[in-house]
C-alpha cells in the first residue's frame, strides 16, 4: 500500500476526516469563487451551517454545462498566479471544460495515481510505459507523475506508433503498460496481423493499467489472454482530477475510491435524490482537498453502485463497481434498462466479433423495435451463408438470455457505421418519447 | 492447384454491388463467372476471375470484406443428364455440396461446374477416379 495511513483508515475515522475536509472545501468554493457563491445563495445554502455528511443533500449540483459556461477560468478558486497547470477536455460537444491545478493539487493527483499503481502490485522496480496521450488530456501526464511518485522508471512514449511501443517494451524491459483498453486490444490485433514473430509472453510486461473509457469484464478477459498480462481498471474524470479518482486492487472486484480526497454519493439520475449505500445510480463527486478547481457535487453521469466490503487487499476505502454505463446513454427498451456497454459485452463474448456496432431503437405501434448492426470483421466472414446465419442466431440468443430483449441482428459492411471524431455512434434512438 | 474463388460480403442495398464491381473493373480484373447468395440484409458475391490474388488484395485495401476459397471446377459435356451423373458420384461417396454454380465454356460443347465442398481433396479424388477432368486456374483464364 502506498499510503497505509489513509488507504486502510478505519471507516469511522474516514468519515470524520471527510466531514472536516468538506467543511473546508465548501467554504473555500463559496468564499473564493463567484459561480459557487451564486449557486449556494440561490439554493439558500450557507457552508457555515454544514454540520454533518447528511447536510450534503442540501448542496446544489454542478453539471457539465456549468463547467462549459464558465470557460475558461470561471470555476477557479485561487488566483492564476497560484495555478501551475491546466488540463482540458476536448470540447467536441460544446465549449471545452478547463481544470486548473495548484502545486498542491498536482501533488494530490500524483499521490492518487501512485496509490493506484501500487494497488496493482507495482513497485519502484517496475518500468512503466505511459501510452496515454500527453497533452491537455489528463491520462498521459497523470500516469507520468504518479509513476515517478511511486519511483517507477517512467517512459513517456505517449499514444500511438505501435511498432515503437513494442520495440520499447522489449528493449527497455517494460513491465507495466498504461493505455486505453481499446488500444491494448489494438496492440493484440497488430501483433496477430503484423508481428507473429513477436512473443509478448517472453517480454517482462505483466500489468496493464487501463482506463479513460468504459470496458467490460469480457474485454478484460480478452486483453489478459491475448497479451499475457493482468489488466486493471483505473478510473477518473478530468473534472474531478483525472485518472486515480478510484482504482481496482489485486482483488479485481470493484474500485476503491480515494475517500480522503473525494467524497462520493449515488443519486437517482431523474430526481436527484441521494440513494442508500449499495443502490445503483449516478455517482456524484465532491473534491475535499482541491485548491484551484474545487468540484462540488459534480454530476458525472456515470452509473455505478457504492459498497463497503472487507477487501482482501486491506484497504478500507469504499468501493464502486466498474462503471457499466452512463445515465445519458442508458436505453430503456420495453421497460428493460440497457447500456451500450452490456451490448458490447455480449458481442465480445460471441467469438470473433469485434464490437463495432450500432443500436437502433424505433417504435412500431406500442412496441420498441431494436436492431443491432454489427460490422462484419474479416476473421468472421465466411463464403457460406449458413456460417453467417449461425453467427446471427448466436448473437440473437445471447441478447435474449443475457439482456432479456429480442433484437434484430443485421450484419453490415466494415466502416459503414458512422463515426464522429474516430468514435462510433453507438445509439440511434428514433423513438419520439 | 485448385481454382480460387473470391467471396465478397455485400449489404443488400442499392449501390453496394456496384461499388465492388467498380473496384474490380478499375483494376482491370475480368470476371469469368459469378453468383450471388442473398439473405434479407446481406449477400455473398462469389466470383471467379482472371487475377484472383490481385483482386483479393485490391478489395482488402478498399476495406471490402472478402476471402479466397478453393473450389472444385470440373468440365462436363453440355448435354442432358451429364450434371446428374457427376452429382451421383458425390451422393454415392456421401459428399455434401455446400453450394454450386455453372458456366458454359467458350470451347464448344462443354460446361464448367463449380462446386464448394468441405473437403475439396476427397471430392477431387472421387471425380478423377471416374475420369472427369478437373479444371485448373490456368486453363480457365487461358482462353
Amino acid at each position: 500500500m502506498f499510503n497505509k495511513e489513509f488507504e486502510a483508515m478505519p471507516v469511522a475515522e474516514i468519515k470524520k476526516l471527510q466531514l472536516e475536509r468538506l467543511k473546508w472545501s465548501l467554504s473555500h468554493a463559496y468564499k473564493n469563487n463567484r459561480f459557487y457563491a451564486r449557486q449556494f445563495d440561490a439554493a439558500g445554502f450557507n457552508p457555515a451551517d454544514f454540520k454533518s455528511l447528511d447536510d450534503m443533500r442540501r448542496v446544489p449540483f454542478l453539471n457539465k454545462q456549468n463547467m462549459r459556461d464558465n470557460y475558461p477560468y470561471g470555476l477557479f478558486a485561487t488566483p492564476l498566479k497560484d495555478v501551475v497547470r491546466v488540463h482540458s477536455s476536448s470540447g467536441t460537444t460544446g465549449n471545452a471544460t478547463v481544470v486548473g491545478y495548484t502545486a498542491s493539487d498536482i501533488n494530490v493527483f500524483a499521490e492518487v495515481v501512485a496509490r493506484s499503481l501500487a494497488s496493482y502490485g507495482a513497485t519502484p522496480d517496475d518500468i512503466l510505459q505511459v501510452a496515454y496521450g500527453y497533452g491537455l488530456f489528463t491520462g498521459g501526464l497523470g500516469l507520468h507523475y504518479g509513476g515517478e511518485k511511486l519511483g517507477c522508471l517512467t517512459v513517456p512514449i505517449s499514444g500511438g506508433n505501435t511498432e515503437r511501443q513494442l520495440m520499447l517494451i522489449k528493449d527497455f524491459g517494460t513491465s507495466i503498460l498504461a493505455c486505453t483498453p481499446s488500444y491494448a486490444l489494438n496492440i493484440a490485433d497488430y501483433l496477430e496481423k503484423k508481428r507473429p514473430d513477436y512473443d509478448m509472453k517472453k517480454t517482462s510486461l505483466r500489468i496493464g493499467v487501463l482506463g479513460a473509457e468504459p470496458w467490460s469484464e469480457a474485454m478484460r478477459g480478452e486483453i489478459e489472454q491475448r497479451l499475457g498480462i493482468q489488466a486493471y481498471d483505473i478510473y477518473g474524470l478530468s473534472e474531478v482530477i483525472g485518472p486515480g479518482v478510484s482504482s481496482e486492487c489485486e482483488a479485481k472486484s470493484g474500485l476503491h475510491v480515494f475517500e480522503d480526497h473525494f467524497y462520493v454519493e449515488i443519486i437517482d439520475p431523474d430526481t436527484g435524490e441521494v440513494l442508500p449505500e449499495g443502490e445503483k445510480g449516478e455517482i456524484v463527486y465532491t473534491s475535499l482537498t482541491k485548491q484551484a478547481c474545487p468540484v462540488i457535487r459534480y454530476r458525472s453521469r456515470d452509473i455505478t453502485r457504492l459498497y463497503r466490503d472487507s477487501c482482501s487487499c486491506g484497504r478500507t476505502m469504499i468501493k464502486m463497481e466498474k462503471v457499466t454505463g452512463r445515465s445519458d446513454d442508458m436505453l430503456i427498451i420495453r421497460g428493460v434498462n440497457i447500456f451500450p456497454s452490456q451490448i458490447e459485452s455480449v458481442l465480445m463474448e460471441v467469438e470473433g466479433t469485434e464490437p463495432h456496432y450500432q443500436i437502433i431503437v424505433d417504435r412500431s405501434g406500442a412496441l420498441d423495435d431494436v436492431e443491432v448492426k454489427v460490422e462484419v470483421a474479416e476473421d468472421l466472414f465466411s463464403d457460406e451463408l449458413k456460417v453467417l446465419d449461425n453467427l446471427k442466431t448466436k448473437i440473437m440468443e445471447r441478447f435474449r438470455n443475457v439482456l432479456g430483449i429480442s433484437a434484430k441482428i443485421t450484419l453490415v459492411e466494415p466502416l459503414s457505421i458512422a463515426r464522429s471524431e474516430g468514435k462510433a455512434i453507438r445509439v440511434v434512438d428514433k423513438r419520439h418519447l | 492447384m485448385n481454382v480460387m474463388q473470391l467471396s465478397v460480403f455485400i449489404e443488400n442495398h442499392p449501390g453496394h454491388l456496384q461499388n465492388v464491381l467498380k473496384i474490380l473493373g478499375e483494376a482491370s480484373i475480368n470476371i469469368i463467372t459469378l453468383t450471388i447468395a442473398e439473405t434479407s440484409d446481406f449477400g455473398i458475391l462469389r466470383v471467379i476471375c482472371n487475377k484472383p490474388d490481385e483482386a483479393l488484395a485490391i478489395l482488402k485495401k478498399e476495406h471490402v470484406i472478402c476471402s479466397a476459397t478453393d473450389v472444385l471446377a470440373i468440365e462436363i459435356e453440355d448435354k442432358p443428364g451429364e450434371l446428374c451423373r457427376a452429382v451421383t458420384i458425390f451422393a454415392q461417396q456421401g459428399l455434401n455440396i455446400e453450394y454450386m454454380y455453372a458456366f458454359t465454356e467458350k470451347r464448344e460443347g462443354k460446361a464448367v461446374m463449380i462446386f464448394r465442398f468441405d473437403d475439396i481433396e476427397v471430392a477431387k479424388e472421387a471425380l478423377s477416379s471416374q475420369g472427369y477432368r478437373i479444371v485448373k486456374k490456368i486453363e480457365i483464364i487461358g482462353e
Side-chain angles (χ1 to χ4, degrees), chain A residues 371 373-386 388-389 392 408-416, chain B residues 5 7-11 16 37-42 44 46 60 63-67 69 96 98-99 116 118:
Chain A
E371 179 185 4
K373 287 187 173 176
V374 183
E375 284 186 8
V376 178
E378 200 153 315
D379 48 3
L380 206 82
F381 176 64
S382 163
D383 64 309
E384 293 179 62
L385 276 183
K386 68 177 181 203
L388 294 177
D389 263 345
K392 276 171 67 169
K408 176 179 186 262
I409 310 296
T410 307
L411 300 179
V412 298
E413 288 164 14
L415 304 175
S416 64
Chain B
Q5 169 200 280
S7 310
V8 185
F9 180 85
I10 294 178
E11 274 177 48
H16 287 251
E38 94 283 2
T39 69
S40 59
D41 51 326
F42 67 88
I44 300 171
R46 297 168 182 142
K60 287 197 172 175
H63 304 290
V64 173
I65 289 289
C66 55
S67 65
T69 314
N96 191 43
E98 301 294 340
Y99 55 81
R116 164 76 156 93
D118 242 2

Side-chain angles (χ1 to χ4, degrees), chain A residues 335-370:
Chain A
V336 184
N337 290 357
I338 308 265
F339 292 103
S341 55
Q342 290 175 295
I343 292 182
E344 181 178 313
S345 293
V346 169
L347 292 176
M348 288 286 297
E349 247 182 69
V350 177
E351 206 184 351
T353 309
E354 278 179 33
H356 277 295
Y357 63 91
Q358 186 172 57
I359 308 151
I360 297 152
V361 193
D362 207 343
R363 181 164 282 193
S364 61
L367 270 186
D368 296 333
D369 279 331
V370 188

Side-chain angles (χ1 to χ4, degrees), chain A residues 199-370:
Chain A
D199 189 353
M200 192 60 99
K201 280 158 195 155
K202 280 196 184 133
T203 68
S204 305
L205 195 70
R206 60 187 184 97
I207 292 173
V209 182
L210 314 181
E213 57 190 31
W215 50 304
S216 58
E217 281 301 327
M219 242 170 124
R220 188 206 308 267
E222 185 178 344
I223 291 166
E224 292 193 335
Q225 189 253 321
R226 292 176 69 188
L227 293 180
I229 59 172
Q230 296 294 314
Y232 296 99
D233 197 358
I234 187 163
Y235 169 91
L237 325 74
S238 64
E239 293 86 348
V240 180
I241 201 158
V245 171
S246 68
S247 164
E248 279 183 335
C249 57
E250 282 178 288
K252 281 187 198 161
S253 69
L255 296 91
H256 292 282
V257 179
F258 296 117
E259 283 184 287
D260 49 333
H261 294 292
F262 314 107
Y263 180 77
V264 282
E265 303 164 272
I266 295 286
I267 62 162
D268 177 327
D270 296 325
T271 64
E273 286 301 310
V274 177
L275 297 175
E277 207 165 282
E279 278 190 37
K280 208 165 190 151
E282 179 181 341
I283 189 162
V284 171
Y285 295 94
T286 300
S287 65
L288 300 178
T289 53
K290 269 175 82 184
Q291 299 173 336
C293 268
V295 276
I296 309 294
R297 297 199 94 197
Y298 178 64
R299 290 194 59 165
S300 67
R301 300 279 164 194
D302 282 340
I303 299 291
T304 184
R305 200 170 73 82
L306 289 170
Y307 60 100
R308 291 188 196 273
D309 59 6
S310 46
C311 190
S312 58
C313 75
R315 286 176 186 80
T316 50
M317 310 235 118
I318 202 163
K319 275 180 165 176
M320 60 186 268
E321 259 175 14
K322 222 166 171 335
V323 171
T324 47
R326 295 172 54 78
S327 65
D328 46 4
D329 60 21
M330 183 179 84
L331 281 168
I332 303 176
I333 298 167
R334 291 178 207 148
V336 184
N337 290 357
I338 308 265
F339 292 103
S341 55
Q342 290 175 295
I343 292 182
E344 181 178 313
S345 293
V346 169
L347 292 176
M348 288 286 297
E349 247 182 69
V350 177
E351 206 184 351
T353 309
E354 278 179 33
H356 277 295
Y357 63 91
Q358 186 172 57
I359 308 151
I360 297 152
V361 193
D362 207 343
R363 181 164 282 193
S364 61
L367 270 186
D368 296 333
D369 279 331
V370 188

